[in-house]
Amino acid sequence: QQAASDVLVAVGQRFINKVMEEVLTKFQPGILPHYFVMQTFANLSVSNVFGMVPFLNSILGTMLPMLGMAKQDHMKSVFCY
């Protein structure tokens, strides 16, 4: 899973729209996402800052209501990251 996330981040440096289109399908409102989906968002934000700006509104709008659902420490930390 870490390797797949790293591949998405590497491809996202050049093709951010395609990568985000696929990753956002795994990021649904009301359903706590997998740890590596959140980790991929975080790493994409670091590696392609300007490419992620258009997606911030939808990511944060979906993520903020989920914050209360993150009960485990590893999920809390990845939401913060």
Side-chain angles (χ1 to χ4, degrees), residues 14-69:
R14 176 95 172 131
F15 304 104
I16 189 71
N17 291 333
K18 291 290 186 182
V19 170
M20 288 303 296
E21 182 180 318
E22 292 300 320
V23 176
L24 285 172
T25 63
K26 304 296 183 193
F27 191 62
Q28 300 298 320
I31 302 168
L32 195 64
H34 193 274
Y35 174 86
F36 279 103
V37 170
M38 296 303 296
Q39 185 73 36
T40 303
F41 282 147
N43 291 334
L44 276 169
S45 296
V46 171
S47 71
N48 191 348
V49 176
F50 296 111
M52 285 295 286
V53 170
F55 300 101
L56 284 180
N57 200 19
S58 65
I59 290 171
L60 292 175
T62 303
M63 187 174 72
L64 288 177
M66 287 183 203
L67 290 177
M69 297 169 58

